[in-house]
Every structure is written in C-alpha cells, then in structure tokens.
Amino acid sequence: MEQIRELQAYGYFFFTVFLTVVLYAYIVHLYRAEKKGTRNYEKYGKLALDDELHHAPVEPNEDEDEMKENKEKK
C-alpha cells in the first residue's frame, strides 16, 4: 500500500512540473506572437465589451471569404 502512495506522490510531482512547463511555454508563445505582430491580443480583450450582434468580428472568417470568392467565380 505504501508503494502505491509513493508512486502517486511521484506522479503528482512530475505532473505538476509538466503542467508548469506547459503553462510557461504557452505564455512564451503568446508573448512571441504578440511581439512578431502575428496576433494582436488587445483586440481579444475588448471582445467581452463589444459583444453585440451588430459589432464587427475580431477577425474575419477566412472560410466565409473563400466561399464568397468561389461563388463569384462560378
């Protein structure tokens, strides 16, 4: 019974370390994407304030644009 508890303790420790590494990797990813200019996360911060049907979307829907172009070509 004590071996199982010891394995649980090691598992808990390594899982906590793993999740911490994943969290910091995600934070670095967000920071780099904002720094490169590929994403502007300030727009997403305003999403909760501008959440009406008549407001413009944060990002255009690329699939919808492609569908419109395909219909126009036909």
Side-chain angles (χ1 to χ4, degrees), residues 12-27:
Y12 179 79
F13 174 76
F14 288 118
F15 191 66
T16 303
V17 169
F18 172 73
L19 288 179
T20 304
V21 169
V22 169
L23 175 66
Y24 280 106
Y26 182 64
I27 291 170

Side-chain angles (χ1 to χ4, degrees), residues 38-40 43-44 47 55-69:
T38 57
R39 294 268 188 220
N40 183 2
K43 291 190 297 186
Y44 295 110
L47 184 63
H55 287 139
V58 176
E59 290 183 352
N61 189 351
E62 295 173 3
D63 294 335
E64 192 174 294
D65 293 339
E66 288 177 8
M67 288 174 51
K68 285 181 184 178
E69 288 176 5

